[in-house]
Amino acid sequence: MGRIGVITLLALLAGGLLAVSSGAQPSSSGEPAPAAFRLLDGSAGCSFDGSRLTCSSHEGATAVLEEDGSSHPSAEAARWDASTPVLRRTESWWHGGFSCRVAGEEIVCEREHGSIAVGGDGVGGASSSSD
């Protein structure tokens, strides 16, 4: 591998580390820091508090995905605004066993055997199965 190949590889690795490090980072106590993301059009967003993921539509419908994969509606909306990072169709967010991606016009998040989906039309696809 020539110099250009090595330099390119190092640049890609550095970029990958920066992309991953922008997610939920541990606080000084070792707990994950809060994180949030939203759809580009602002119709839905999610926030992670270190142990559970809360996703809300702009209309106010909210679902929570718990650490054990169970999901349920919530009266407390996810916290996000115009300054919150955008989750794009080509990206995903993850922390521990939680993972989220954009599918169609929704954010779809999974943990264990459960999942939630939220978009401009509200919350849907909340499910939990026990194996």
Side-chain angles (χ1 to χ4, degrees), residues 11 15-16 19 23 26 32 35 49-50 52 59 64 69 81 86 96 98 100 114 118 130-131:
D49 70 4
R52 67 188 207 159
E59 300 300 319
V64 174
D81 59 28
V86 172
F98 291 95
C100 298
V118 62
S130 54
D131 291 45

Side-chain angles (χ1 to χ4, degrees), residues 24 31-35 47-53 67 95 98:
E31 293 297 314
S47 59
F48 180 66
D49 70 4
S51 64
R52 67 188 207 159
L53 189 66
E67 268 188 313
H95 179 77
F98 291 95

Side-chain angles (χ1 to χ4, degrees), residues 2-82:
R3 280 188 200 158
I4 293 176
V6 171
I7 291 170
T8 302
L9 179 62
L10 290 174
L12 289 172
L13 286 172
L17 287 173
L18 286 173
V20 170
S21 67
S22 65
Q25 293 297 308
S27 66
S28 59
S29 66
E31 293 297 314
F37 49 88
R38 65 182 175 90
L39 289 175
L40 179 62
D41 66 2
S43 63
C46 298
S47 59
F48 180 66
D49 70 4
S51 64
R52 67 188 207 159
L53 189 66
T54 304
C55 296
S56 302
S57 72
H58 182 68
E59 300 300 319
T62 301
V64 174
L65 186 59
E66 299 286 351
E67 268 188 313
D68 65 1
S70 64
S71 58
H72 56 86
S74 176
E76 186 176 331
R79 294 188 178 118
W80 54 273
D81 59 28

